Amino acid sequence: MIATKQEAASCTPSVSRAQRLAAEAAEAADVRRWRTHPDVVALRIERVRAQVDRLCWAGIILGLAFTAANVQWFAAAGSEFGSLPWLTAWLLDPTVCLVLLAILRAEQVTSQYQVRTGRWVRAAKWLTLAATYVMNTWSSWAAGSPAGVVLHSVPPMVVFVAAEAVTDLRDKLTDAVQVALVNTAKPADVHELATADRERPARRLFADYLADARLAWKPEVKVTPAWVREVTGCSRGLSSRLAAELSAEVAEEVRHGS
């Protein structure tokens, strides 16, 4: 009897510790389950997206504000302070910048839903950025001042890179939400996901785009991201990967064929 009581007393602490560990494990599993829940992931990514947008927009607007003074000085061409040509010169940079900001604002929405914009949109964006760069650096190039060229090149180039990068970042953030949804889908959710897929356009995978590119490729075609986007309709962020994969396959076929 004494031995039995001693054994029971010695087992009690270990049972309590096991229960505590089990409770902590259950709590950790519950926290992990909610952290990886698609809705929670989407909420966290949307917060990050908002921060990215605010920071990029702040940098773009500051860069364009810096260029406004340079463009005004370039357009005024030594006109007298306060004269009509001097005042009119202030309209040139806002004319270009407002078009650029309108395009970037539209891409802020289209990239979130991974809707591909047309060639004219990209042409307009590049034209406005190129015009801003030329007007900012022309005087420095004409004067042969390397320091002036560098100084006046940095803000337009930062604006250009930010305008291109922020679109890809939004595209990748949307991909992150979709990956979270796919990774956490349970067999019981398959019917619900299938019903939702019937109600909205199905999301295409990398392999689907690659298969379309294979079918469209011909020996005389040079595989480029632009060509891949044209034949598959994929996003710009995905077209580079598709072009690299298809180019590798084509090179492998050429090696085996030779």
Side-chain angles (χ1 to χ4, degrees):
M1 177 69 67
I2 296 175
T4 303
K5 290 182 178 180
Q6 291 177 347
E7 291 177 358
S10 63
C11 291
T12 302
S14 60
V15 171
S16 299
R17 183 168 56 186
Q19 291 175 345
R20 288 196 301 271
L21 290 174
E24 292 174 358
E27 182 181 1
D30 193 43
V31 171
R32 183 175 64 253
R33 179 174 63 85
W34 281 110
R35 282 183 176 177
T36 57
H37 191 281
D39 293 336
V40 177
V41 172
L43 177 61
R44 295 170 64 185
I45 290 177
E46 286 302 322
R47 290 174 178 172
V48 173
R49 190 198 303 274
Q51 295 173 358
V52 170
D53 284 338
R54 285 194 294 266
L55 292 173
C56 284
W57 276 107
I60 290 172
I61 292 174
L62 289 174
L64 293 177
F66 178 86
T67 64
N70 298 325
V71 172
Q72 191 277 341
W73 182 81
F74 169 79
S79 300
E80 183 180 354
F81 177 82
S83 63
L84 183 60
W86 186 89
L87 293 174
T88 306
W90 282 106
L91 300 177
L92 179 58
D93 190 68
T95 301
V96 177
C97 293
L98 287 176
V99 175
L100 174 61
L101 292 176
I103 295 172
L104 295 180
R105 182 67 182 93
E107 285 189 340
Q108 187 178 18
V109 178
T110 58
S111 61
Q112 181 176 356
Y113 296 97
Q114 295 183 323
V115 177
R116 180 169 168 263
T117 56
R119 295 179 179 179
W120 279 106
V121 176
R122 293 186 59 80
K125 181 167 66 173
W126 287 0
L127 178 61
T128 53
L129 290 168
T132 301
Y133 176 81
V134 170
M135 290 186 294
N136 269 270
T137 59
W138 183 267
S139 299
S140 298
W141 284 110
S145 172
V149 171
V150 173
L151 175 63
H152 295 101
S153 294
V154 171
M157 291 179 65
V158 169
V159 171
F160 177 80
V161 173
E164 290 294 326
V166 71
T167 303
D168 288 340
L169 286 174
R170 296 189 194 108
D171 189 29
K172 295 303 179 184
L173 289 172
T174 302
D175 282 340
V177 175
Q178 299 294 339
V179 169
L181 176 62
V182 173
N183 289 345
T184 57
K186 299 178 181 179
D189 301 329
V190 171
H191 177 70
E192 296 180 3
L193 290 176
T195 303
D197 287 341
R198 286 194 297 267
E199 295 176 354
R200 64 174 181 268
R203 174 173 171 77
R204 305 189 67 198
L205 302 177
F206 180 86
D208 299 327
Y209 287 114
L210 184 59
D212 291 344
R214 288 196 195 101
L215 292 175
W217 180 80
K218 297 179 182 179
E220 65 273 10
V221 173
K222 181 180 179 181
V223 179
T224 63
W227 175 83
V228 171
R229 289 195 300 271
E230 182 179 355
V231 298
T232 65
C234 67
S235 63
R236 286 186 291 112
L238 191 61
S239 62
S240 298
R241 291 175 51 202
L242 289 167
E245 182 70 20
L246 184 59
S247 297
E249 292 183 3
V250 170
E252 187 69 19
E253 291 180 2
V254 171
R255 281 196 298 270
H256 286 303
S258 59

